[in-house]
Amino acid sequence: MRTLYLIFCCFFAAHSLTSSTSTSPSSRPRCLHEQSSILLQFKREFPLKEPEDLLNDYDYPKMETWKAEKDCCSWDGIECDTTGHVIGLDLSNSSLEGPLHSNSSLFSLTHLENLNLAYNPKFSGRLSDSSASNLKSLNVLDLNSCNFSGIVPTSIGNLSQLTYLDLSSNNFSGEVPTSLGRLTKLEHLSLQKNRLIGRIPSWLGNLTGLTLLQLSHNNFNGEFPISLANLTQLDSLYLSFNQLVGSIPYEYANRISNSMLLSMLDLSHNSFNGTIPPSLFRIPSLVSLNLDYNQFTGPLTIQNVSSSQLTALYLRRNNLNGQIPASISELTSLTELYLSLNNFSGEIELGAFSNLISLDLSYNSLTITSTSTMFALAVNFYSLLLASCNIKEFPKFLETQNELWELDLSHNKLEGKIPKWFFRVGTESLARLDLSSNLITGWEQEPSILPWEALAYLDLRHNKFRGSLFVPPFSTVHFFIFNNSLTGNVDPIFCELHNLKVLDVSNNNLSGEIPRCLGSNSSLLMLNLQRNNFHGEIPPTCEERSVLKTLDLSHNQLQGKIPKSLVTCKELEVLNIGHNQISDRFPFWTQSLPKLQILVLRSNKFDGPIWHPREFSGFENLRMIDLSFNNFGGVLPSEYFRNWSAINTEIPYVNKSKLRYMGDTSNYYQDSVTVAYKGLDTVLVKILTTFMSIDLSHNSFHGAIPSSIGDLKSLVGLNLSGNNFGGSIPTSLGKLSELESLDLSKNNLSGKIPYELVSLTFLQHLNLSDNKLVGPIPHGKQFDTFENSSFGGNLDLCGFPLAKKCTESDDEQPNSDHGQDSESENGFGWKAALVGYGCGIVIGLVVEHVLVSRRPTWFSGIYRRISLTP
Ligand SMILES: *[C@@H]1O[C@H](CO)[C@@H](O)[C@H](O)[C@H]1NC(C)=O
Ligand SMILES: *[C@@H]1O[C@H](CO)[C@@H](O)[C@H](O)[C@H]1NC(C)=O
Ligand SMILES: *[C@@H]1O[C@H](CO)[C@@H](O)[C@H](O)[C@H]1NC(C)=O
Ligand SMILES: *[C@@H]1O[C@H](CO)[C@@H](O)[C@H](O)[C@H]1NC(C)=O
Ligand SMILES: *[C@@H]1O[C@H](CO)[C@@H](O)[C@H](O)[C@H]1NC(C)=O
Ligand SMILES: *[C@@H]1O[C@H](CO)[C@@H](O)[C@H](O)[C@H]1NC(C)=O
Ligand SMILES: *[C@@H]1O[C@H](CO)[C@@H](O)[C@H](O)[C@H]1NC(C)=O
Ligand SMILES: *[C@@H]1O[C@H](CO)[C@@H](O)[C@H](O)[C@H]1NC(C)=O
Ligand SMILES: *[C@@H]1O[C@H](CO)[C@@H](O)[C@H](O)[C@H]1NC(C)=O
Ligand SMILES: *[C@@H]1O[C@H](CO)[C@@H](O)[C@H](O)[C@H]1NC(C)=O
Ligand SMILES: *[C@@H]1O[C@H](CO)[C@@H](O)[C@H](O)[C@H]1NC(C)=O
């Protein structure tokens, strides 16, 4: 029997071998000539690609192999049926470029069943009704990550054989055509990342074969369609990042609560409200439930969940309150729980979460009770986020956590020294440690170098660290320890942290000289030593391949000159050496830093001219310059501001609404700088990339104000006060349509105030006091809101708001004694307790000076430039 079987096998194998060699030429489909010419025609519609034109490593231009002399059924990306018709065309990742026209020969391939053009991000065009409906046999249409635009054509509804339709990551707009409701064979429908609008169509409930429905990242609005409960085959439903409102109908939740197929439900980043239907937690097949970033309210009800397989539950940033139900531990498969940014309250014993590997309880009203040593947790956490949980002591159970990757204990009440055992927390695994905003004073056992081998991100800002600056592990990429009380020198070993990109030790009491080698650490993106007591000279900075973007040495006691080596910092965007004792001439070479946007030399001992006929040509990218409180002098020619391209360029309206801050794109740091703005020293905690200002105040400039100042179209703040500028106020100032703050006080300006200034409709702060101006104060628009203090101490101004009435002959009669003391009036200002104006507000300006508010327009001005981000 056994032999027989073997013989049979051998015979069968031999037979299939011979038959496959002998019959293959005939059974293998041969391409029909007509099909071949359609394909070659299609190939001609696109320019040939050189290998270096390929968009990325995945790309492979399959059409290169399409040669007339070969059978087209053997070409790359082509599949034929037995009759020699092309039924499959796969040109995904082929760097296709340019438009697909409606007359393209592609639409003549009427036997096509499978058309895959995905991942050709420069492949554009529109799908027209007539062309799309030619492909009646299509089963699969995949246009993922192309660049098609326009509406989704109605005729797609005529492709009645479609089972797989992916139009995601294109630029389709408008509503989803109703005709798609006829595609009852659809199993996979992905329309995410387009610009689709309207409600989520309720007829989607007709497509009962769907296993995946992906509609995320569009502009859908309206309520959750209950008809989706009819999609009983659904495995994954994604509706995230839309503008959906209302509650999740309990009826929907109840009907799907028996589903044995639905494993992924993502409704995050919408505006859903009401309570979360408890039956969502009972769906036996559900593995991941994401309701992050909505407005769900009320306590969380979790009951009868014994058959749940839920492993990941995301409920961040909602309005959930009450206690976290103990029954959450009945979700026995749960390994990831994210509850941050709600208002859960009560005491929490972490032992209740002993199944989890990721737990996020940050920013609620919770109190983590003393975490007894008894529970050396059976589980090893991977991510533990316990910010703002009223934690008073270092949780001892952490000691045995040796797989921890991420630990956030920030914004708690940890005080005193970090215990010795804490070094054992994830010594080999910890990559991100955040202990910021506590009351920590130091280490029980002062380390020479911190022991965590894998640490990349270390945040210790806003604590009470005293003593000397310890050295983070060599793996560190971001190190923040600003706003502490550290003293002593910076150890030169910092220069050997070759992964370090961001070093922020600002706001401490560090002293001594800045280690010379620090300037040549070629990994640094940002070096912030602001507000310490460093003295000595600025070390030579930037090696040849420097990536340094931000250098902030302000508010120290640095002396000497600015090192010329800085000219090699080709990536430098922010150079702030304000508030030191640098004695130098104006660094004309800063003009050759192609990316420089912010230059602050304020309050030093600079002198000499800032203009030179051969050395000065203008700043290409500069948008904020502060040279105030130095001894710069000389005359500025009328052309002085002509080539300041960045400030000269009007910012397109669209970019204005897209508020961006300076800093690294990962949001790990943001540049901040102090500017005199609207009469106050203001710390711009986050610098909007649209903020443009020039401050030359308190120097010794003389001559006329350059008329080219009117070219600075995007200027928001201009301060020339405390100089000896003479002549009249240039009428070109009236062209600065973005100007919010203008200070020309304490100069020798004479003549009348140009009426053109009335057209500065955003102007909120004006100071022309202490000059020799005469004549009537213009009125209308913003000028009707300024007070006496804006005009005091001039020779002979008249009219509102001053008491002196204008007469015909007024401007001819000098009269300097109308008694306005501008100094005393200058005391207005702002108490800007803006921080924490609700979670949603990102503060663009935090004002240092705490004064009493008098001028409500100030706020509106700020809000014009502050983002309200979710
Ligand atoms: C196509 O490119 C995308 C990214 O551009 C990549 O994720 C995908 O794996 C590539 N597909 C193939 C088949 O190479
Ligand atoms: C196809 O249409 C495009 C644009 O409408 C046109 O430029 C091109 O000549 C047409 N090609 C053929 C073969 O008709
Ligand atoms: C996508 O198409 C638009 C025109 O609809 C074009 O402006 C844009 O440059 C294209 N994008 C790419 C990456 O080719
Ligand atoms: C699509 O099908 C409908 C109804 O079957 C028909 O009336 C219409 O003409 C078709 N559209 C196209 C573009 O073929
Ligand atoms: C999307 O299409 C619109 C016009 O419909 C166009 O203005 C916009 O630039 C396109 N966006 C991209 C990213 O191609
Ligand atoms: C959905 O199905 C219902 C009933 O089967 C039918 O009346 C309706 O026309 C369908 N909707 C669409 C858009 O096809
Ligand atoms: C959903 O299915 C139920 C029963 O199968 C049917 O009565 C109802 O009309 C369907 N609803 C929608 C919106 O398709
Ligand atoms: C939910 O939001 C809608 C508006 O989108 C509102 O009409 C409704 O009252 C809200 N419901 C709850 C329970 O807050
Ligand atoms: C939970 O289960 C119990 C018993 O199995 C049952 O009495 C109760 O009604 C269920 N509760 C809910 C909300 O389904
Ligand atoms: C959070 O809940 C507490 C009670 O637990 C309540 O006093 C407080 O007002 C709530 N806060 C918010 C923002 O809802
Ligand atoms: C410094 O940290 C303390 C908390 O330690 C905080 O209250 C204060 O606002 C911080 N100061 C700055 C300037 O951030």
Side-chain angles (χ1 to χ4, degrees):
M1 184 66 195
R2 189 189 159 99
T3 330
L4 193 64
Y5 175 76
L6 273 174
I7 291 168
F8 178 76
C9 280
C10 289
F11 172 78
F12 186 78
H15 177 77
S16 57
L17 207 70
T18 49
S19 68
S20 72
T21 43
S22 61
T23 62
S24 103
S26 58
S27 74
R28 183 179 188 166
R30 286 192 65 89
C31 176
L32 297 177
H33 177 70
E34 153 257 344
Q35 297 277 292
S36 166
S37 47
I38 292 173
L39 289 170
L40 288 170
Q41 170 60 33
F42 182 67
K43 180 179 174 180
R44 280 194 291 275
E45 290 170 27
F46 297 93
L48 271 184
K49 285 273 152 187
E50 298 300 329
E52 58 269 25
D53 293 339
L54 298 183
L55 295 174
N56 62 48
D57 293 346
Y58 300 113
D59 281 8
Y60 164 51
K62 303 190 182 70
M63 285 197 285
E64 304 284 277
T65 66
W66 294 10
K67 301 271 161 60
E69 59 274 18
K70 282 200 190 161
D71 181 349
C72 82
C73 295
S74 69
W75 294 350
D76 267 341
I78 303 295
E79 191 192 339
C80 297
D81 65 5
T82 48
T83 64
H85 284 101
V86 175
I87 56 167
L89 177 59
D90 178 356
L91 290 177
S92 59
N93 302 59
S94 294
S95 300
L96 292 179
E97 196 170 332
L100 178 71
H101 292 298
S102 58
N103 59 8
S104 168
S105 52
L106 174 71
F107 301 111
S108 308
L109 294 171
T110 49
H111 288 72
L112 267 188
E113 291 172 10
N114 189 337
L115 177 58
N116 185 351
L117 300 171
Y119 300 104
N120 291 294
K122 293 189 171 176
F123 190 40
S124 58
R126 288 157 183 266
L127 293 181
S128 75
D129 259 334
S130 57
S131 52
S133 59
N134 276 355
L135 306 176
K136 286 243 165 36
S137 307
L138 274 189
N139 283 311
V140 173
L141 177 57
D142 192 347
L143 300 179
N144 185 2
S145 300
C146 294
N147 187 18
F148 284 91
S149 54
I151 58 164
V152 177
T154 308
S155 59
I156 288 199
N158 287 16
L159 306 179
S160 58
Q161 301 304 309
L162 273 186
T163 59
Y164 187 106
L165 178 60
D166 190 342
L167 304 180
S168 56
S169 302
N170 277 276
N171 192 9
F172 287 110
S173 53
E175 300 199 12
V176 182
T178 317
S179 63
L180 260 57
R182 299 201 297 267
L183 300 177
T184 48
K185 293 192 176 166
L186 266 188
E187 292 167 11
H188 178 116
L189 176 58
S190 182
L191 303 175
Q192 69 162 326
K193 295 189 182 162
N194 281 290
R195 302 187 300 138
L196 300 170
I197 56 169
R199 302 184 159 236
I200 306 272
S202 68
W203 50 255
L204 284 170
N206 285 14
L207 306 180
T208 50
L210 281 181
T211 60
L212 177 137
L213 179 57
Q214 169 56 287
L215 303 176
S216 302
H217 292 273
N218 277 294
N219 294 319
F220 288 115
N221 57 28
E223 302 200 352
F224 187 96
I226 199 165
S227 65
L228 297 187
N230 282 13
L231 302 179
T232 53
Q233 302 300 305
L234 215 53
D235 167 83
S236 305
L237 175 60
Y238 299 90
L239 302 179
S240 60
F241 291 92
N242 280 294
Q243 285 131 40
L244 303 173
V245 298
S247 53
I248 306 300
Y250 271 51
E251 187 194 338
Y252 166 78
N254 290 341
R255 282 179 57 195
I256 64 168
S257 67
N258 300 322
S259 171
M260 302 304 273
L261 295 170
L262 188 67
S263 69
M264 171 69 85
L265 182 55
D266 184 353
L267 308 179
S268 64
H269 294 268
N270 280 290
S271 298
F272 288 122
N273 62 9
T275 50
I276 299 173
S279 41
L280 286 187
F281 301 111
R282 283 197 280 273
I283 305 170
S285 51
L286 200 63
V287 171
S288 174
L289 175 60
N290 191 342
L291 304 178
D292 274 356
Y293 289 80
N294 277 290
Q295 291 154 26
F296 290 112
T297 50
L300 201 54
T301 310
I302 296 184
Q303 274 174 3
N304 293 14
V305 291
S306 53
S307 54
S308 162
Q309 300 178 44
L310 202 64
T311 63
L313 177 56
Y314 302 83
L315 301 174
R316 289 174 290 202
R317 183 60 78 79
N318 278 288
N319 298 321
L320 300 168
N321 58 20
Q323 306 233 335
I324 297 175
S327 52
I328 210 159
S329 63
E330 291 166 24
L331 294 168
T332 48
S333 301
L334 201 66
T335 56
E336 296 176 50
L337 178 60
Y338 304 91
L339 300 178
S340 57
L341 298 161
N342 280 287
N343 195 21
F344 288 114
S345 55
E347 299 201 343
I348 284 287
E349 170 62 67
L350 285 179
F353 302 105
S354 56
N355 290 330
L356 301 180
I357 56 172
S358 292
L359 174 62
D360 179 4
L361 299 176
S362 300
Y363 305 107
N364 280 286
S365 303
L366 293 166
T367 300
I368 306 268
T369 52
S370 182
T371 41
S372 59
T373 41
M374 277 174 45
F375 107 89
L377 285 178
V379 68
N380 280 316
F381 280 107
Y382 172 80
S383 168
L384 191 55
L385 308 178
L386 303 175
S388 188
C389 284
N390 288 304
I391 300 175
K392 296 194 181 62
E393 54 189 63
F394 285 89
K396 189 76 164 69
F397 79 90
L398 289 174
E399 185 175 357
T400 53
Q401 292 294 315
N402 51 23
E403 286 171 26
L404 203 57
W405 180 81
E406 174 182 44
L407 176 63
D408 186 352
L409 298 175
S410 67
H411 296 89
N412 277 296
K413 295 175 177 156
L414 299 171
E415 57 185 340
K417 295 188 167 172
I418 300 176
K420 251 187 285 187
W421 61 257
F422 195 76
F423 288 150
R424 289 194 287 277
V425 181
T427 317
E428 286 164 18
S429 57
L430 202 60
R432 183 173 173 269
L433 175 60
D434 189 347
L435 299 175
S436 65
S437 297
N438 278 287
L439 302 162
I440 302 170
T441 57
W443 308 88
E444 195 176 283
Q445 187 181 52
E446 183 82 31
S448 56
I449 295 181
L450 298 180
W452 293 284
E453 291 166 19
L455 203 64
Y457 178 97
L458 178 58
D459 191 347
L460 303 174
R461 72 184 94 169
H462 307 311
N463 272 292
K464 310 266 176 236
F465 278 93
R466 291 190 297 252
S468 56
L469 176 63
F470 40 87
V471 183
F474 284 100
S475 52
T476 308
V477 179
H478 294 87
F479 181 39
F480 299 94
I481 190 157
F482 62 85
N483 192 18
N484 278 281
S485 305
L486 296 169
T487 52
N489 299 354
V490 175
D491 192 323
I493 201 167
F494 269 89
C495 310
E496 282 157 45
L497 298 172
H498 294 301
N499 292 310
L500 202 59
K501 286 188 178 163
V502 174
L503 175 61
D504 190 344
V505 301
S506 60
N507 288 55
N508 277 286
N509 290 316
L510 296 168
S511 56
E513 299 199 358
I514 301 170
R516 279 182 72 82
C517 57
L518 200 56
S520 38
N521 183 325
S522 61
S523 61
L524 279 177
L525 273 179
M526 190 254 212
L527 178 60
N528 191 347
L529 307 181
Q530 191 188 134
R531 287 172 210 271
N532 280 286
N533 289 312
F534 292 110
H535 64 81
E537 300 206 342
I538 300 176
T541 305
C542 290
E543 294 280 59
E544 266 172 41
R545 282 176 44 244
S546 163
V547 291
L548 195 66
K549 281 183 163 185
T550 298
L551 180 62
D552 191 338
L553 306 175
S554 63
H555 295 271
N556 281 290
Q557 331 274 327
L558 299 168
Q559 294 159 334
K561 297 185 190 293
I562 316 183
K564 277 275 165 48
S565 63
L566 276 171
V567 77
T568 54
C569 301
K570 292 295 181 207
E571 299 295 318
L572 204 61
E573 294 175 355
V574 178
L575 176 59
N576 186 352
I577 49 181
H579 296 273
N580 278 288
Q581 290 156 35
I582 306 289
S583 325
D584 203 346
R585 325 222 100 203
F586 182 73
F588 286 103
W589 50 262
T590 51
Q591 294 169 96
S592 66
L593 296 175
K595 300 194 175 164
L596 193 66
Q597 298 185 39
I598 296 184
L599 175 62
V600 181
L601 305 179
R602 178 191 174 91
S603 289
N604 275 287
K605 298 175 179 166
F606 285 92
D607 59 13
I610 64 170
W611 178 78
H612 185 279
R614 284 186 311 280
E615 290 187 75
F616 188 80
S617 57
F619 285 99
E620 196 183 341
N621 274 307
L622 208 65
R623 24 184 217 83
M624 202 188 275
I625 185 169
D626 184 351
L627 306 180
S628 62
F629 296 95
N630 279 291
N631 291 317
F632 288 119
V635 174
L636 303 180
S638 66
E639 299 296 290
Y640 186 72
F641 292 108
R642 190 119 293 167
N643 293 321
W644 294 40
S645 316
I647 315 188
N648 279 351
T649 311
E650 231 163 305
I651 302 170
Y653 183 77
V654 281
N655 291 4
K656 273 187 216 167
S657 55
K658 261 191 240 146
L659 295 163
R660 286 189 304 117
Y661 298 100
M662 293 191 64
D664 75 355
T665 40
S666 61
N667 260 335
Y668 277 148
Y669 78 85
Q670 250 127 2
D671 290 304
S672 71
V673 71
T674 309
V675 294
Y677 183 61
K678 300 188 181 171
L680 297 169
D681 275 2
T682 303
V683 178
L684 299 178
V685 172
K686 297 181 170 186
I687 307 168
L688 282 171
T689 51
T690 54
F691 189 88
M692 313 257 177
S693 78
I694 291 178
D695 189 345
L696 305 181
S697 66
H698 300 279
N699 280 289
S700 306
F701 298 110
H702 61 269
I705 295 175
S707 58
S708 59
I709 207 152
D711 293 346
L712 304 173
K713 294 188 196 69
S714 297
L715 202 64
V716 174
L718 176 63
N719 189 349
L720 302 178
S721 78
N723 282 289
N724 293 313
F725 284 112
S728 51
I729 299 175
T731 53
S732 63
L733 276 176
K735 293 193 285 182
L736 302 181
S737 56
E738 295 290 319
L739 206 61
E740 292 182 5
S741 173
L742 174 62
D743 191 344
L744 303 177
S745 66
K746 303 197 185 75
N747 278 292
N748 283 318
L749 299 167
S750 55
K752 294 191 197 172
I753 300 175
Y755 184 74
E756 283 80 355
L757 298 193
V758 173
S759 55
L760 301 179
T761 43
F762 290 126
L763 197 63
Q764 285 155 31
H765 175 70
L766 174 71
N767 194 350
L768 302 177
S769 66
D770 296 299
N771 277 293
K772 295 180 178 151
L773 299 167
V774 296
I777 294 172
H779 57 87
K781 296 184 185 164
Q782 289 301 97
F783 265 76
D784 296 341
T785 67
F786 300 131
E787 296 176 21
N788 290 355
S789 54
S790 296
F791 305 102
N794 273 292
L795 208 52
D796 194 11
L797 285 172
C798 63
F800 180 83
L802 299 179
K804 181 167 190 268
K805 296 238 158 35
C806 296
T807 65
E808 293 286 322
S809 58
D810 240 321
D811 39 351
E812 306 303 326
Q813 292 171 12
N815 177 2
S816 57
D817 65 357
H818 50 69
Q820 287 301 333
D821 179 357
S822 69
E823 286 297 321
S824 68
E825 290 291 315
N826 259 348
F828 73 78
W830 290 88
K831 180 185 173 84
L834 286 169
V835 183
Y837 219 74
C839 291
I841 298 186
V842 175
I843 300 304
L845 299 167
V846 174
V847 173
E848 276 189 319
H849 288 193
V850 177
L851 296 165
V852 181
S853 89
R854 278 193 26 206
R855 226 182 247 237
T857 50
W858 204 82
F859 273 93
S860 61
I862 288 177
Y863 280 112
R864 214 160 64 82
R865 295 181 189 277
I866 290 184
S867 69
L868 299 168
T869 53

